[in-house]
Every structure is written in C-alpha cells, then in structure tokens.
Amino acid sequence: QVHLVQSGTEVKKPGSSVKVSCKASGGTFSKNFVSWVRQAPGQRLEWMGRILPISGTAKYSQKFQDRVILTADDFASTVYMEVSSLRSEDTAVYYCARDDDIAIDTYMDVWGKGTTVIVSS
Amino acid sequence: SYVLTQPPSVSVAPGQTARITCGGFNIGSKSVHWYQQRPGQAPVLVVYDDSDRPSGIPERFSGSNSGDTATLTISRVEPGDEADYYCQVWDGFSDHVRVFGTGTQVTVL
C-alpha cells in the first residue's frame, strides 16, 4: 500500500515562493496522476491541479495556473508543487493525493498528511 | 462556475442514520465522490462514483445520486463518524476543475 509523505511546515514572507514535496513510500506513483488540494483555515477543500509523474504532463485549475508549477521526479517517486508571489490568502494546508485513474473525473484515493504553509510578514 | 451546496451541519444520535445532501445543477449526470475529514487530519475517501465503497470502508456508508441532489448516508452512526464530509465532482463545462462542496460537519450527540 503506497503512502504519500509530504515535506514539513513552511513559513514564508509575502511575495516569496514555496516548494512542497510529496514522495511515494512503499510503492511508486506508477501511472497515476497526483493531485494537489489546499485548505485554508476553516475553509473547504480546493483542487489546484494534477501531474502525471511518468510524463510530467500537468493540468491546472484556472485560478492557480499563473502562480503554481507542478513538477515531478519519477525516478525518485516525488512530485513537487511550487507557489510563487505568495500572499496571506495562500496560508493553508496543502495536500497531495493520488488519482485512482487517468480520467479527469476520477477520485483521489490516497492522501498525504498535508503541509502547512504560513505566509506572514 | 459549478456550485455544490451542502448543509453546514447535521446532528445525529448514536445508532441512528445521518443523511448528508450535496446539491448541484443536474448533479445526477456526474460522478460524485465523498470524503471524510476528521479534525486535523487529511481527507479519506468513503464513497466514489456515487455509490461505491473503497476497501476498508464500512458498509454503513452508502451513496446515491439523482437529479440535482447526491446523498451520503451513514447508517448506525458511531462516535467515530464525527467529522466533516465533502462531496466532489468534476466540472467539465465551465471552469474545468474539480469542485468540492461546502462541507458538512456531522456531530454525534
């Protein structure tokens, strides 16, 4: 059973960037997409985009496509999410999650524990 | 953009049945997935494709979807079911994003 291990808490200044990692443990991503979902304090879940590690193909939510870059190192079974031009509203817990299928309307069946990103001056 | 509306909260006594609705225009034409999120934890998939259960999820969790409403039903509610629940679909018509519902907090009395 694959587990997703995410990097630790980050505290960043407004205007800076943050890069969060997500590594598959106990297995690989195989041919699954990996999605990123964020949750601001007290708010609902928000899907940011997804990447296919084996090819690097990424699809973004329109809301994030100008400030978010998803990358992958398939040999290391690790995907990365970088957010630039951080603002206070980006303070949230960021989750990576494995898509069950290549279909875009699929579900996310394995989740990382989340990475807290705090943006504060 | 596509909107999914859930009741903010549902309260239920142990052993009773909790029903959580997820309203959206013609949601019956979409595949609906449900996630459970306990405080301070990551979401867990409890129902996918309207009514299927992942392995390890009790049969007490079931789902249905028709018309403008999808429903997650939790039978014989236990204290451990206390959590937030989110529905999720793919919006392939306007924003081309995965959309989550507003979330429902289930309280076990």
Side-chain angles (χ1 to χ4, degrees):
Chain A
Q1 173 75 1
V2 66
H3 298 278
L4 303 183
V5 181
Q6 298 187 226
S7 50
T9 298
E10 301 269 9
V11 180
K12 294 292 183 179
K13 301 284 189 188
S16 67
S17 299
V18 67
K19 193 169 185 176
V20 178
S21 66
C22 170
K23 181 177 174 59
S25 172
T28 66
F29 292 123
S30 185
K31 296 180 181 177
N32 297 87
F33 276 88
V34 178
S35 282
W36 289 88
V37 175
R38 80 175 187 181
Q39 187 173 37
Q43 301 301 308
R44 76 175 80 181
L45 300 164
E46 188 174 27
W47 184 76
M48 303 174 69
R50 70 174 191 166
I51 185 168
L52 185 63
I54 198 169
S55 68
T57 301
K59 178 174 177 61
Y60 300 91
S61 163
Q62 194 168 13
K63 175 177 178 178
F64 297 102
Q65 64 183 12
D66 291 338
R67 294 196 300 128
V68 172
I69 297 175
L70 302 182
T71 56
D73 180 345
D74 193 45
F75 291 106
S77 296
T78 302
V79 298
Y80 303 91
M81 180 209 59
E82 183 172 16
V83 184
S84 59
S85 302
L86 286 166
R87 34 205 190 226
S88 59
E89 308 91 90
D90 294 317
T91 294
V93 178
Y94 290 78
Y95 296 100
C96 62
R98 187 185 73 173
D99 283 7
D100 174 75
D101 190 75
I102 61 171
I104 191 66
D105 65 346
T106 192
Y107 47 92
M108 295 162 280
D109 63 347
V110 179
W111 292 66
K113 292 188 183 298
T115 296
T116 299
V117 175
I118 299 168
V119 182
S120 174
S121 54
Chain B
S1 59
Y2 193 76
V3 176
L4 293 174
T5 302
Q6 300 179 234
S9 62
V10 168
S11 297
V12 58
Q16 298 304 302
T17 298
R19 292 181 179 85
I20 304 163
T21 58
C22 175
F25 176 74
N26 199 25
I27 195 173
S29 67
K30 302 179 182 295
S31 292
V32 180
H33 318 301
W34 291 90
Y35 303 88
Q36 175 195 68
Q37 186 179 33
R38 295 189 174 101
Q41 297 188 22
V44 172
L45 179 72
V46 292
V47 166
Y48 65 93
D49 291 347
D50 299 340
S51 59
D52 291 332
R53 270 187 321 277
S55 60
I57 299 300
E59 292 182 6
R60 301 184 297 104
F61 288 83
S62 62
S64 63
N65 184 20
S66 179
D68 292 334
T69 305
T71 303
L72 174 69
T73 301
I74 311 172
S75 304
R76 302 181 300 283
V77 167
E78 301 176 356
D81 298 333
E82 192 162 279
D84 293 331
Y85 291 82
Y86 293 92
C87 55
Q88 178 246 307
V89 302
W90 162 249
D91 172 20
F93 290 100
S94 54
D95 294 336
H96 297 274
V97 296
R98 287 182 188 161
V99 178
F100 288 92
T102 47
T104 298
Q105 182 176 60
V106 170
T107 299
V108 182
L109 301 171

